[in-house]
Structure formats: C-alpha cells, structure tokens
Amino acid sequence: MTAREFHVPAKVGRRAILILALSSLTAASAHPGSDDQTVTQLLPAEPPAPRRSVGLKSVAHWTSIFMQSWDHEYKNSLPMSRSADSWDHYNLSYSVDACTAMFRATDQRSYLDRALAFVENVADAAVLSSTLRSSQFRDGYRGWASSSSGEGGDEIPLYESYFWRYGTALLVAMRETPAVYGNPVYRARYDRLLRFAEVDIFQKWYSRGAGDNIYRERTHMAAHWALITLNLSRITDDQVRRDRCLEVVRNIDLHLPGLQASLRGQLRRNPTEPTAYFWSDFWGSARRPGQDVSHANAVIAYVVEARDRGQQWTDADMAAFSALLTKVIWPGGQTYRSYVDGTGADNGWFSDGFVNWAATTRRPNSGWRATR
C-alpha cells in the first residue's frame, strides 16, 4: 500500500476512525501464480514480507473525534435498539460495532456499557414467534417481525444475522476481558445474552432450515453466519453447540452442503490485478463484475476474524485482499470502484470489512503495529 492518507467517508464513521487509530500502515503483496484461476496457485507458499510502516495519529486523537458524535449517536441509536422491527436492528449494527471496537482499543467501560445496553434492548424487544401474526414460522423461538422495509411482518434471517455478528462480537470482547468476565454484574448480563444468541439466533435459524437460512444464496449473507458461528464457537460452554458452530464455519469456508461451492472456492485471480483476489457473490460463479464492494465488506469482516482466530485463512490471503483494496477498488485519492473487478464508481464504502482488514494486520509478522 502506498503511503497516502486514509480518506474516511462519512458513512464509515466511527469504526474506521477506531481502526485507523490502532494501526500503522504497511504494504504486503501477494505473488502472482500461474494462469490457472485456483486460489492455491494464486497465493505464495509463504506469507509475503512486509515493506514499510506509515505512522498514524494516536488513539487519543481519534477518540476525541469519535466523542464529538457521542451524544448524537445515542439519541439516534437508542430508539432503534428498542424497536420491535429487525430492520432497525440492522441499521443499529454499526453503533454496536463501533462501541465494541472502542472498548477493545481503550478499555474504557463507557463504550462497553453503551454497546451492552443496545444489545440488551434488542433482545428485550424479542417476542415469541407464535405471537407474530404474519410470521411464516410461528414457533416457540423469540424474534422480531419486520414491516418498515416492506417485509410484511415476517421474520427476516438477513436482518438478524447482520446485527448479531456484532452482538456476538461484543460477547467475545467481554469473555476475553478478565476484569469484565469476572465481574458478577457483567457476567450475569453476558450469560443472559449468550443464551439468547445461542438459542434464539443460531439454534432458531439452524432448526428452521440451515440450507435456506444459514448457508444462504450469496457469499456475503453466508459470511454473516460464518462470523456469528465463529464467535459462538469461542464462547459457548456447550460442546455439542461448539462442534455445530465449527461445522458451519468449515462448510461455508470449504464445502457448502448441497452445492459445489464454498467461500474458498469462490476466490480467483483478479482480472485487473494478478496479485489480488476476485470473487462473485453468486455461488459457483466467476462472472464479472463480481461482488459489489459494499457487500464485500461482510466477506472481509469474516475472513480477517477467522484468520485472527486460527482458522484456515492465512497471511497470504490477507495479502491478496490487501492488493484488492489498494490496487483495485481504491487505487488512490478519491477514486473508489463499485465492484471487485475494478469497474464502476462508488463513494468509498469501506466499513467493518476492509477496515477490519487493517486491524488484522496488527498480528505478529504482518508488518502492522499499534500506535498507542
């Protein structure tokens, strides 16, 4: 990646600010493979060596910017967290993610408390499916109907999975912070939300049909569930549920049930840049223009977390995704592409996914370092 200043589009907001505060920038390039379009030949045998770092401003600097919208965010997000319509939870997602990330960066409980309150409000708004008149399920699980987005009062797995990847990420952050996990008050709140996520999110949609509701018809939709199940596999105390979660992760990564496709199998050499990845959001397809950049964030958000958690994604994968960001979809300045093949023009919607790619490179041997 060239040494240029990050542009932070307004829609990215606080999540981008936080990750920029945590990291300094380096370049890592994947090596071109042969003309074969398989992922194993695209990637080098060993992770690429980092080049050089570019220092960024301190966490304190970016935190001061984050806090400028603290009150405004709360005013707008609190009603969404109390809503019984899951479309509002979809839109609330970034506030939860931002506060969780700020808590991880600063250890300040105010960010944890806000994220936790939002997620608790969402869980409290759930009702029995059997009481939702327009639900197609009407069973004993708890959930939310959606009408404001034109869904007619049905239960929508996309909206729930979109939000609960952030809800479960908050639980992981709590579990991995001993002072929080060991605090009886926080622990009780954690246990309640974990049980809700295990039963009324994952178990609910899995039991209603994993093929339709978990593995989904598009890469980014399946990636939501891959991240949820990866998170739950880290924190559940139920070995059977942990095994099932990891099975879902492996299936999405390597072999989707009933399809000759997988997230790994979708990846191809990018037609614009041979060191970068390309993929289509349609399972089994390699047609251009491929995945749109906005929804590609969901795929990146999952794979970088999976790489950090020791799953089968590697530093070499991160290098290929790095080349995708810096050489194809954001080649410089304020030029942003709409699709992962480098076509179209967009507004630079790099949300939790491509921003999380920055965060993943904080790990050893990646060439990134914290600037706190």
Side-chain angles (χ1 to χ4, degrees):
M1 182 179 286
T2 55
R4 62 175 180 265
E5 183 179 352
F6 267 84
H7 166 65
V8 183
K11 288 178 68 177
V12 176
R14 291 167 293 277
R15 175 65 177 182
I17 287 173
L18 174 70
I19 300 301
L20 295 179
L22 287 176
S23 311
S24 31
L25 192 57
T26 191
S29 299
H31 299 169
S34 70
D35 291 336
D36 193 319
Q37 299 295 297
T38 63
V39 62
T40 54
Q41 291 174 318
L42 171 61
L43 294 173
E46 297 293 334
R51 293 182 188 171
R52 62 191 181 87
S53 296
V54 178
L56 298 174
K57 296 183 183 296
S58 68
V59 169
H61 171 86
W62 293 108
T63 298
S64 69
I65 295 177
F66 183 100
M67 293 303 295
Q68 291 174 16
S69 62
W70 182 248
D71 293 335
H72 176 78
E73 179 199 45
Y74 187 71
K75 178 180 178 180
N76 285 273
S77 297
L78 183 62
M80 289 191 288
S81 74
R82 291 172 172 169
S83 172
D85 192 311
S86 58
W87 174 246
D88 289 325
H89 308 156
Y90 182 106
N91 291 309
L92 173 68
S93 297
Y94 295 109
S95 292
V96 173
D97 188 39
C99 289
T100 301
M102 286 295 290
F103 168 64
R104 281 193 176 279
T106 66
D107 296 323
Q108 292 184 22
R109 299 282 179 86
S110 58
Y111 305 120
L112 168 64
D113 291 341
R114 177 168 291 188
L116 187 54
F118 286 158
V119 177
E120 287 175 328
N121 286 347
V122 168
D124 288 343
V127 298
L128 286 174
S129 174
S130 59
T131 68
L132 298 172
R133 291 181 297 175
S134 299
S135 171
Q136 69 182 90
F137 303 104
R138 296 181 63 83
D139 54 26
Y141 292 106
R142 289 177 291 173
W144 312 263
S146 182
S147 298
S148 60
S149 61
E151 298 293 350
D154 203 357
E155 297 176 74
I156 310 300
L158 173 61
Y159 302 165
E160 295 187 27
S161 63
Y162 200 90
F163 177 83
W164 283 94
R165 57 191 174 136
Y166 301 107
T168 55
L170 171 64
L171 296 177
V172 171
M174 295 177 71
R175 179 65 181 85
E176 294 180 346
T177 306
V180 170
Y181 188 70
N183 180 298
V185 175
Y186 280 121
R187 178 63 183 274
R189 298 169 75 183
Y190 166 92
D191 287 342
R192 175 173 171 264
L193 287 176
L194 175 58
R195 178 64 177 169
F196 185 94
E198 289 177 326
V199 175
D200 291 298
I201 301 301
F202 175 56
Q203 182 178 306
K204 175 178 70 178
W205 289 110
Y206 190 94
S207 68
R208 289 174 173 179
D212 291 334
N213 298 310
I214 299 292
Y215 296 120
R216 306 310 309 271
E217 65 270 23
R218 300 288 187 93
T219 56
H220 54 280
M221 294 180 181
H224 299 334
W225 285 106
L227 187 48
I228 288 171
T229 51
L230 178 66
N231 288 338
L232 288 178
S233 75
R234 302 287 300 180
I235 56 179
T236 183
D237 293 323
D238 185 324
Q239 186 61 48
V240 173
R241 183 170 283 118
R242 178 179 294 110
D243 291 343
R244 176 162 289 176
C245 286
L246 290 174
E247 177 185 42
V248 169
V249 170
R250 288 191 298 270
N251 284 344
I252 293 173
D253 281 349
L254 302 173
H255 39 72
L256 281 169
L259 292 174
Q260 296 297 314
S262 66
L263 201 54
R264 171 65 76 185
Q266 288 295 104
L267 299 177
R268 301 288 191 275
R269 183 192 305 279
N270 196 293
T272 302
E273 167 55 53
T275 64
Y277 274 147
F278 167 89
W279 71 93
S280 170
D281 52 326
F282 289 93
W283 294 119
S285 174
R287 294 184 61 183
R288 298 180 68 173
Q291 177 90 66
D292 65 292
V293 172
S294 177
H295 288 98
N297 281 288
V299 175
I300 303 299
Y302 162 64
V303 296
V304 297
E305 186 68 19
R307 178 260 191 170
D308 277 1
R309 299 295 178 178
Q311 299 299 311
Q312 57 98 24
W313 300 93
T314 68
D315 286 353
D317 291 314
M318 297 304 105
F321 289 124
S322 169
L324 171 64
L325 173 63
T326 62
K327 297 181 179 181
V328 180
I329 65 176
W330 184 27
Q334 295 187 17
T335 298
Y336 311 111
R337 302 305 183 192
S338 298
Y339 297 96
V340 295
D341 72 342
T343 61
D346 210 343
N347 64 352
W349 175 230
F350 308 141
S351 61
D352 60 327
F354 286 105
V355 172
N356 273 347
W357 165 81
T360 195
T361 51
R362 295 201 309 274
R363 302 299 179 183
N365 302 320
S366 66
W368 288 66
R369 56 183 171 80
T371 58
R372 289 181 64 182

